[in-house]
Structure formats: structure tokens, C-alpha cells
Amino acid sequence: MTSTVPALGTRTAEGSALQAVLLDMDGTLVDTEGFWWDTEVEVFARLGHRLDEAWRDIVVGGPMTRSAAFLIESTGADVTVEELTVLLNDGFEDRISRSLPLMPGAARLLGELAAHDVPMALVSASHRRIIDRVLDSIGAHHFSLTVAGDEVSRTKPHPDPYLLAASGLGADPARCAVIEDTATGVAAAEAAGCRVVAVPSVAPIPAVTGRTVVPSLEHVNLPFLQGLMTL
């Protein structure tokens, strides 16, 4: 975990009980969920195996160790989780070095929140080496704190990453808005007690009590997030 401005609990958006916004990375801010699947397909092809498209919804949004273990068991590939993790990170890093498209509305939302001094944290299941590469493009200055999947003992769908982020910002999880694109991430945020905005990227996410689902970040702004605290 990295932090540039610790304990920002006293900095809140004007006239709002919103204390912080915690954002997922892949598929939420950057259009990279497809990159991960393409990398997995490519790596397993080199290992002599073909991935079933139906597995995509199973591995999306999860920690790399879980996804890697599932794909190894499903294909019978002769590779360890540790070896596969290196291959996948290498392949993904190569892809984002060539192209890293932002999700629609991402740059505008980050700029708006920063302009109103709303504390933000990036909370991802991706490893630190990947997060740091992505931050070069989306702007590390937007985030007071970042949490990587290889820096917590239990990553998503467990609540630990979001609890750690809220604590690092000095915020009450119940006063944090989380923006996520996968069911795994949504489960983690809800288990942490946060208010969740789901922006589905690969698989549908149902709207239930306490969860808001929108088609894209273009539907999300500061008043919208402030309004979640009154629901």
C-alpha cells in the first residue's frame, strides 16, 4: 500500500456526508478487463491449451492467484501458480505499454473529485507492478492512497482491501462510495460496509437494496455520489 497524504478524514466534500471515494482500476477506470482475458488466452495457447470463453466470467475481477489456480486446474497445464502469475503480469504489462484506454467518463470524474478535494483511493486486485504502470497514465496525483492485491493477505472478494483504504484515509467505510465493475469487487465493498456503485464491464450485476447500478461512469458525478449517503 502506498499513501501520499495520510489520514484525510477531515477533508470532506462541501455539504455532504461523503468522506471518500474508493475506486477499482481494471474495467472501472481503465478498459483493461479484456486485456487480462486476452493475455490469459495467449499465455495458455503458448502452453498448449485453449481456454473456454465461459471461464471468462469466472476469472474476471478476482485475485490473480485464484484465477491462475482455476485456469491451471481447468486446463491441466503443467505450470505452477507462481510461474503463471509471472507470465500473466508480463503479458499484461506488455499490452498496457502499447495501449491503455480510459473508460468513458473516468478522466472527467477524477478531475471533478480532485477539484472538490474529495479524498480518493485506488483499490485493485492487480499487483503493485501493474498498478504503478497504470498510474503513470491515469495520474497518481489523483489518489491519496493505493492498495494492490499483492499487498493484503486477503484480497477481493474479502472486505480487507476496502477496509484498509478507508482506514488509511481516516474515513468511516459507511461514508465511503465505492465504484466497481465486477461482482467480486462489489462483494468486497459491500462486505466492508461501503455504499457501492456498480458499473458492469464484462458480466451483468443486479441492482439490489443499497447498491446502485449504472451503465457507465458518464452517469456518475459528485452530487450523485453525495446522494448515495442519504439513501
Side-chain angles (χ1 to χ4, degrees):
M1 178 179 69
T2 63
S3 177
T4 55
V5 183
L8 293 176
T10 59
R11 296 175 61 194
T12 58
E14 298 90 336
S16 170
L18 177 69
Q19 293 181 349
V21 177
L22 316 178
L23 302 106
D24 175 54
M25 186 178 77
D26 294 301
T28 299
L29 292 177
V30 288
D31 192 6
T32 50
E33 289 293 9
F35 284 14
W36 279 114
W37 178 249
D38 291 344
T39 299
E40 288 158 352
V41 169
E42 182 179 276
V43 167
F44 274 89
R46 295 203 305 266
L47 295 171
H49 298 273
R50 182 176 180 177
L51 300 188
D52 189 323
E53 184 71 23
W55 297 340
R56 182 173 183 173
D57 289 352
I58 298 174
V59 299
V60 67
M64 181 174 291
T65 51
R66 187 191 73 183
S67 299
F70 170 82
L71 293 174
I72 291 171
E73 180 178 358
S74 298
T75 61
D78 185 18
V79 63
T80 67
V81 169
E82 292 76 16
E83 291 168 340
L84 182 57
T85 295
V86 172
L87 293 174
L88 293 177
N89 275 326
D90 286 348
F92 183 80
E93 195 166 354
D94 177 64
R95 286 180 182 273
I96 63 174
S97 69
R98 289 178 271 148
S99 173
L100 185 59
L102 294 181
M103 298 298 288
R108 187 266 314 153
L109 178 60
L110 292 175
E112 179 183 0
L113 295 177
H116 288 83
D117 291 331
V118 178
M120 287 181 278
L122 186 71
V123 183
S124 176
S126 290
H127 289 188
R128 170 57 55 189
R129 60 178 284 195
I130 299 299
I131 288 180
D132 287 345
R133 286 295 300 274
V134 172
L135 284 173
D136 288 342
S137 295
I138 63 178
H141 62 282
H142 289 302
F143 303 100
S144 301
L145 181 149
T146 63
V147 178
D150 56 340
E151 296 173 342
V152 289
S153 57
R154 299 192 310 170
T155 188
K156 305 173 187 180
H158 298 287
D160 306 37
Y162 282 112
L163 292 174
L164 181 62
S167 175
L169 295 176
D172 178 354
R175 295 300 179 186
C176 293
V178 169
I179 304 178
E180 271 281 0
D181 73 302
T182 68
T184 297
V186 166
E190 290 179 342
C194 303
R195 299 296 179 95
V196 178
V197 179
V199 190
S201 62
V202 175
I205 298 175
V208 299
T209 302
R211 177 194 307 163
T212 303
V213 180
V214 297
S216 83
L217 291 180
E218 293 178 318
H219 294 258
V220 181
N221 56 23
L222 179 54
F224 175 89
L225 295 173
Q226 291 172 329
L228 296 177
M229 300 299 112
T230 63
L231 296 178

